[in-house]
Amino acid sequence: MTRAERLMLLDTASLYFRAFYGVPDKVTAPDGSPINAARGLLDMIAKLVTTYEPTHVVACWDDDWRPQWRVDLIPSYKTHRVVEVVADAPDVEEVPDPLEAQIPLIRQTLAALDIPIVGVAEHEADDVIGTLATNASMPVDIVTGDRDLFQLVDDARDVRVIYTARGMSNLEIVTDATVVTKYGVLPTQYADFATMRGDASDGLPGVAGIGEKTAATLLQKHGDLLGIREAAEEGEGMSAGIRSKILAAQAYLDVAPTVVAVATSLPITAPGVALHSLSPAEADAATALAERWNLGGSMARAVTAVEEAAKAIAAA
């Protein structure tokens, strides 16, 4: 069976965090090192490649998980996850030591499958995903547990989110209709919706007193955040109470949209190499890596998924 072109963008940190907490840590490398996140991520890749049939896969990376330019605009941005402030470099994120120790191995496993890792200095993986999805010449699947990326969903361009928040056994494909049904707004309105609602997990305060339902109602009536702010200034189209809340949040609303919106024009392009069969030397290297780290059947399943994809791509 042939396979139509489709780009899969992995929100890599979102996935390896989920793997770390979802896979038991009782299985370790021969030297006792933790490997649950690495094994879990390999199994995720195997399932995703088999189920959704991408031709191209990119592991998008947080070169800076908390960019200073976002912090300059909203100082509380992800503050609760900082364990060490570093001058002239990304701050240190709170990551469990057993997971932190696996990051180099995770990068090695991705390299063993020849899945490219793409990051951009001073930007998050979300920004990499936003740029690659926006500029892709083929349909796109974004794999993430982060709702912020719903702003990229676009049925017209066949850009979907494969949402992992309910676990790998209960994946959800998010389309325009999904966003409208869940939140009452279009994907193009989602960033403004998230700006008003706020997000405690990212340190975004939102507009005090404005929840999801009110934010959606305002966007349905006024179109976008600019329209809402103009209506508030003019004292039209909303209650006096809502108007006062919008006006009180002007300083926040001046800067928050820039923080919430993912970048879509970074100077990068998706690597053009499709999933392909490993050469004998590459296959040997993958096997050696699996044996060294006790990756068990996880590496074998990922390699098999990639090999099957390569056959379908070659037959196209």
Side-chain angles (χ1 to χ4, degrees):
M1 182 179 293
T2 59
R3 182 168 295 193
E5 284 197 321
R6 179 171 289 275
L7 172 63
M8 177 172 282
L9 302 174
L10 306 179
D11 183 0
T12 315
S14 172
L15 295 181
Y16 65 61
F17 266 94
R18 176 164 293 279
F20 176 75
Y21 287 109
V23 177
D25 59 4
K26 60 184 178 182
V27 179
T28 62
D31 65 358
S33 299
I35 57 170
N36 57 329
R39 287 183 63 149
L41 181 61
L42 285 168
D43 282 327
M44 288 177 176
I45 290 171
K47 177 171 183 174
L48 291 164
V49 169
T50 300
T51 303
Y52 299 102
E53 301 188 342
T55 54
H56 299 69
V57 178
V58 176
C60 302
W61 204 263
D62 285 320
D63 274 15
D64 190 337
W65 67 280
R66 186 176 181 254
Q68 188 61 44
W69 58 270
R70 283 191 165 108
V71 176
D72 289 343
L73 294 172
I74 298 182
S76 62
Y77 184 64
K78 296 185 177 180
T79 299
H80 61 293
R81 289 155 55 183
V82 176
V83 293
E84 181 183 351
V85 175
V86 181
D88 301 320
D91 293 334
V92 178
E93 183 180 12
E94 182 179 9
V95 179
D97 289 343
L99 173 56
E100 184 72 32
Q102 295 179 68
I103 304 302
L105 175 59
I106 286 169
R107 293 184 68 99
Q108 290 178 58
T109 61
L110 291 167
L113 298 171
D114 208 12
I115 292 176
I117 299 171
V118 179
V120 176
E122 299 179 356
H123 287 83
E124 302 172 54
D126 286 9
D127 301 311
V128 175
I129 291 169
T131 297
L132 297 183
T134 299
N135 299 316
S137 59
M138 64 184 76
V140 178
D141 282 338
I142 299 164
V143 186
T144 184
D146 185 351
R147 294 183 298 174
D148 287 343
L149 291 171
F150 290 177
Q151 65 188 274
L152 298 172
V153 170
D154 186 348
D155 283 4
R157 297 186 56 248
D158 199 0
V159 177
R160 316 181 298 183
V161 165
I162 299 172
Y163 192 47
T164 64
R166 294 189 296 172
M168 290 301 293
S169 61
N170 198 14
L171 296 170
E172 179 181 11
I173 294 179
V174 178
T175 63
D176 286 8
T178 312
V179 178
V180 171
T181 299
K182 282 191 169 187
Y183 303 106
V185 299
L186 296 166
T188 52
Q189 298 172 306
Y190 189 85
D192 286 346
F193 170 79
T195 295
M196 287 189 287
R197 175 197 63 201
D199 188 341
S201 68
D202 281 341
L204 296 174
V207 177
I210 301 294
E212 289 193 353
K213 186 174 181 179
T214 302
T217 299
L218 289 169
L219 286 166
Q220 290 163 9
K221 187 165 189 175
H222 302 288
D224 58 19
L225 189 54
L226 177 60
I228 293 169
R229 297 183 72 181
E230 289 176 345
E233 291 282 357
E234 296 167 3
E236 299 178 351
M238 64 187 70
S239 69
I242 297 299
R243 177 175 184 256
S244 67
K245 292 170 183 175
I246 297 296
L247 294 177
Q250 295 286 48
Y252 167 76
L253 293 175
D254 284 342
V255 297
T258 301
V259 175
V260 174
V262 300
T264 58
S265 57
L266 298 178
I268 53 172
T269 56
V273 179
L275 294 170
H276 58 275
S277 298
L278 301 182
S279 70
E282 290 171 331
D284 288 345
T287 299
L289 183 67
E291 290 177 349
R292 176 185 174 189
W293 290 98
N294 191 27
L295 298 177
S298 298
M299 177 66 83
R301 286 187 286 274
V303 169
T304 297
V306 169
E307 292 285 348
E308 292 299 317
K311 292 176 184 177
I313 294 165

